[in-house]
Amino acid sequence: KGIDVCCLRTDGRMEILDGDTLDSRALLAEGDVWHVLTFGPSLLNEDGTPRNSNDEFRINDNYQGWNDHTTYYGFLSPNPRTAMGQASDGHYIFCVVDGRKEDVSRGMTFPELSHLMYEEGAAVAYNLDGGGSAMMYYNGGFVNDPAGGRDPSDYFCIIGKED
């Protein structure tokens, strides 16, 4: 309850659902659910436009300990971020943002990440875990400079088809 839920369907479709009204049994009964993510929040409005201020994001009491945007690690302050999105043509967009590195990268706020995902072509976008686990690995190496601090507990693995 109180959070945005991201559902990935077996046909590859990504959609954001309202955690307050979601009936998980009914969702699973639909038979085409591949993954369900409950981190969030959703980064774009329902019409695919970006959000401009922190109060436009669904951030509730579940994140109360992280809601202070005045602190270094505050949920609403600039931090390392990871996000995934989907363009209207069905392609996925993955993003990692470094942060917490003085004179290198401060990270991003949710409005900044929202605008980035929109500018990269996402029609729907979802915030994943960030902070010390914001990392992207591609073709045998990191494509970013992770802030470190912890190993990620889960990941997405994209494997290309051979021609």
Side-chain angles (χ1 to χ4, degrees):
K1 299 287 182 188
I3 59 172
D4 296 320
V5 175
C6 180
C7 180
L8 301 177
R9 304 286 184 160
T10 55
D11 65 1
R13 189 170 29 106
M14 177 180 167
E15 63 183 316
I16 306 299
L17 306 171
D18 182 339
D20 287 336
T21 59
L22 179 66
D23 180 339
S24 59
R25 288 193 173 119
L27 177 66
L28 293 174
E30 293 175 19
D32 68 340
V33 174
W34 183 44
H35 286 290
V36 176
L37 307 167
T38 58
F39 194 84
S42 173
L43 294 170
L44 300 174
N45 294 311
E46 287 185 26
D47 66 358
T49 58
R51 296 178 177 168
N52 297 308
S53 65
N54 282 329
D55 61 355
E56 294 179 44
F57 294 87
R58 187 174 168 154
I59 301 170
N60 64 19
D61 292 341
N62 291 344
Y63 300 113
Q64 192 57 43
W66 297 99
N67 281 349
D68 181 2
H69 65 278
T70 63
T71 64
Y72 183 65
Y73 292 103
F75 201 65
L76 301 177
S77 63
N79 271 298
R81 306 273 182 205
T82 54
M84 67 180 293
Q86 189 171 46
S88 58
D89 67 2
H91 285 89
Y92 286 105
I93 300 164
F94 289 89
C95 172
V96 63
V97 177
D98 287 338
R100 297 185 189 155
K101 295 187 179 205
E102 194 172 329
D103 298 327
V104 176
S105 177
R106 69 174 180 80
M108 282 189 165
T109 64
F110 282 139
E112 291 167 337
L113 187 60
S114 175
H115 279 265
L116 176 64
M117 294 301 286
Y118 175 78
E119 290 165 10
E120 291 298 323
V124 61
Y126 194 71
N127 178 65
L128 301 172
D129 197 7
S133 65
M135 56 185 72
M136 187 178 291
Y137 196 82
Y138 180 74
N139 279 346
F142 285 103
V143 297
N144 71 312
D145 186 12
R150 65 179 191 259
D151 292 330
S153 60
D154 50 16
Y155 59 91
F156 280 96
C157 181
I158 307 298
I159 301 171
K161 291 182 181 180
E162 291 189 32
D163 294 329

